[in-house]
């Protein structure tokens, strides 16, 4: 599976961006999808995740109410709508796919994800 992330850019605080992650290759399998990010000088952190069916969705506390994850399985694409962006959202954002997340807690674990995209830069100016 290959993942291609896009949609990053430079916005002012309070602005919005919509990230996309298109999957290609063996997309017939059922993958959970997640977004992670790494800010300069910081560890990679979980942002949001969605199950294959879309019925289970998880967010980091820092983004709840501002970011929304969704997926379109017909298009093999997952989205991250980012509203009310803050300077602390500045980071390279990565999408990832997993066949091995089952429990709720496993969605937050980067080690459970099998495939990763190349990342897209989000920069929020104050």
């Amino acid at each position: 599976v290959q993942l291609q992330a896009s949609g990053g850019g430079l916005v002012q605080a309070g602005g919005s961006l919509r990230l996309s992650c298109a999957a290609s290759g063996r997309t017939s399998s059922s993958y959970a999808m997640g977004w992670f990010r790494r800010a300069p000088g910081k560890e990679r952190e979980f942002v949001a995740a969605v199950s294959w069916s879309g019925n289970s969705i998880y967010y980091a506390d820092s983004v709840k109410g501002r970011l929304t994850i969704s997926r379109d399985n017909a298009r093999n694409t997952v989205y991250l709508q980012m509203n009310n962006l803050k300077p602390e959202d500045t980071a390279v954002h990565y999408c990832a796919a997993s066949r091995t997340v089952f429990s709720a807690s496993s969605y937050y674990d980067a080690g459970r994800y099998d495939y990763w995209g190349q990342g897209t830069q989000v920069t929020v100016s104050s």
Side-chain angles (χ1 to χ4, degrees):
V1 175
Q2 292 78 47
L3 303 175
Q4 180 71 41
S6 62
L10 172 64
V11 296
Q12 291 186 330
S16 297
L17 285 173
R18 188 194 197 201
L19 305 186
S20 298
C21 177
S24 60
R26 299 186 66 177
T27 56
S28 59
S29 297
S30 300
Y31 293 97
M33 297 295 295
W35 287 95
F36 291 78
R37 66 188 182 188
R38 176 170 287 169
K42 294 188 177 181
E43 298 288 322
R44 180 176 54 189
E45 66 175 359
F46 170 82
V47 177
V50 58
S51 62
W52 163 252
S53 66
N55 290 336
S56 297
I57 290 177
Y58 306 91
Y59 295 102
D61 289 342
S62 60
V63 306
K64 284 181 181 176
R66 301 187 298 115
L67 274 58
T68 302
I69 189 171
S70 62
R71 67 187 301 161
D72 183 341
N73 288 341
R75 297 178 182 269
N76 295 318
T77 302
V78 64
Y79 305 98
L80 187 66
Q81 178 66 43
M82 311 175 77
N83 297 328
N84 190 22
L85 282 162
K86 302 177 179 181
E88 50 264 43
D89 294 315
T90 294
V92 178
H93 286 66
Y94 300 90
C95 60
S98 172
R99 293 181 296 173
T100 59
V101 292
F102 299 109
S103 65
S105 61
S106 63
Y107 282 85
Y108 296 79
D109 182 359
R112 291 297 195 115
Y113 290 79
D114 308 292
Y115 305 98
W116 291 81
Q118 85 288 2
T120 184
Q121 175 71 47
V122 172
T123 303
V124 185
S125 63
S126 58

